[in-house]
Amino acid sequence: MAKHETPLLDQLESGPWPSFVSDLKQEAEFRAKNEENIEYQIPQDVVEDLLGVLELSFKHGRTHWKHGGIVGVFGYGGGVIGRYCDQPEKFPGVAHFHTMRVSQPAGKFYTTKYLREICDLWARRGSGITNMHGSTGDIIFLGTTTPQLEEIFWELTHNLNQDLGGSGSNLRTPSDCIGQARCEFACYDTQAICHGLTVEYQDELHRPAFPYKFKFKFDGCPNCCVASIARADLSFIGTWRDEIPIDQEAVQAYIGGEIPPNAGAHSGRDWGPFDIQKEVIDNCPTDCMWMEDNKLMIDNKECNRCMHCINVMPRALRIGNDRGCTILAGAKAPILDGAQMGSLIVPFIKVEEPYDEIKETVIEPIWDWWMEEGKNRERLGELMKRQGFKKLLEVTGFKPDPRMVSEPRTNPYIFWNEDEVEGGFKRDINEFRKHHQR
Amino acid sequence: MEYEEAKTRIVEGLTKKSKVKSKFYFNDLAKILELKPRIAKKLINKLVIEEVLEYWSSGSTSMYGLKGAGKQASAEHED
């Protein structure tokens, strides 16, 4: 018998899709039975109370959570997010229900042993409920009490060799795609740079001194599986600057139906025979492909790396061989000023350990500018909008490039600095008056 | 700037405003110290380690306060 009646939540289980309500009920039952004799360090009925408070929120149409607090682990300003229930008498199990962010490994590779260990830890010292993974990329532990925080941190760091992630006005846990470990499209080793910068910028990750959050995300190719272009303050997207190698025999094999397009991904129904004109050439956004003497041709200088042709015919077309990444700055979600996509700041840069060029010419000058000029709670993208892209170029020292232009200009004025104008702005007033009366 | 001078400035600066607010942005502290953020950060971190200051976080934004200032901890039965 459930502790709280939850008729509104029960409805969410009635559809054909899996429901988190069923998962929570399963966890509540698991904790109530405790067949594994776990020594629970927080209320055993925490999940029952979580279901109860959620039902109440559905009934009232408003939240019963408060957030924010001084909860954290010693020396860290991030990784723990205080959550409190505003109905602690009714739902004592969730009076404290803090979130912990656990830094995920690059590429999110785990052993089953490791997963079992973190789940055991969280069942004992927390609610047992996790997000694998949150939209930040971290492993999210949902719900524990204040006295458990240091205990969990000690066990994570000493027994599991595992750090907390970023939250608050910190560098957030950098996240990446699976990269060269499993994907032939990866133009650089996303896991190596993601892990490398996570280790390099530990201070920025754990001790908040930024105006607001700051995110790095690494996509191995322009398919952008991590969506870095839409959500990272600094987005690293793999690209190449030579030509797309074409295997003309494989092109013919696609045309002849010997190789299924999209690596067989759309095999669920009969789409008819593969039509290279309709499905590839006509879909090229820059019209840079054509057939000539039964051969596929690409005008590479017009290619904008949309990846469509490579995705459709991966055996015939490959990423180029001179590989690196493009860096975009300032993407963010729509909290203030609307959502923004990243703006291109570095068209091409080689991604080579120890990444000194990326750190010294991109990341650190941008941080210095934003830390000094950014208002409280202002994302990099908002500062770029407020002070202008020109200012970003000034602080980083990058030269303006046509590839940075996303749209025709809407501002008719051109502002020149004195040092950009021959002779400067200063003039001899007496000389001027000789020719111009007052 | 030496640590002791930074400590005095911060404690005085925050105490002066303690009737109005108990939590401050990092930039407010850097302004009190009249230092660039990167340099101020080292001193402010030390103040946290020495438990003069403590972090406060909403989850999205972080702030700093004198240890024990404000009433949130007692409101949540945490002290």
Side-chain angles (χ1 to χ4, degrees), chain A residues 42-112:
Chain A
I42 75 164
Q44 193 167 352
D45 58 356
V46 51
V47 186
E48 303 262 14
D49 279 353
L50 180 65
L51 285 162
V53 74
L54 187 57
E55 176 75 18
L56 190 68
S57 289
F58 272 45
K59 203 170 132 195
H60 289 167
R62 55 185 183 263
T63 186
H64 287 288
W65 293 112
K66 304 180 277 181
H67 70 125
I70 51 171
V71 290
V73 297
F74 189 70
Y76 276 28
V80 179
I81 302 156
R83 307 267 182 222
Y84 303 93
C85 179
D86 72 3
Q87 292 287 344
E89 283 87 25
K90 264 191 204 157
F91 307 106
V94 291
H96 291 183
F97 197 74
H98 309 317
T99 297
M100 297 187 86
R101 287 202 179 141
V102 179
S103 175
Q104 82 282 8
K108 302 187 183 75
F109 281 91
Y110 301 107
T111 60
T112 47

Side-chain angles (χ1 to χ4, degrees), chain A residues 271-317:
Chain A
W271 294 90
F274 176 66
D275 181 343
I276 192 168
Q277 187 67 37
K278 200 171 116 205
E279 293 175 44
V280 179
I281 296 173
D282 290 352
N283 282 340
C284 175
T286 59
D287 286 329
C288 72
M289 308 179 86
W290 70 99
M291 294 299 284
E292 198 173 299
D293 299 330
N294 224 16
K295 282 191 171 160
L296 181 66
M297 310 297 281
I298 299 176
D299 183 359
N300 278 279
K301 70 177 193 305
E302 294 299 328
C303 169
N304 69 357
R305 315 289 189 272
C306 84
M307 294 294 289
H308 178 74
C309 61
I310 299 180
N311 289 336
V312 177
M313 305 193 296
R315 296 264 295 269
L317 304 172

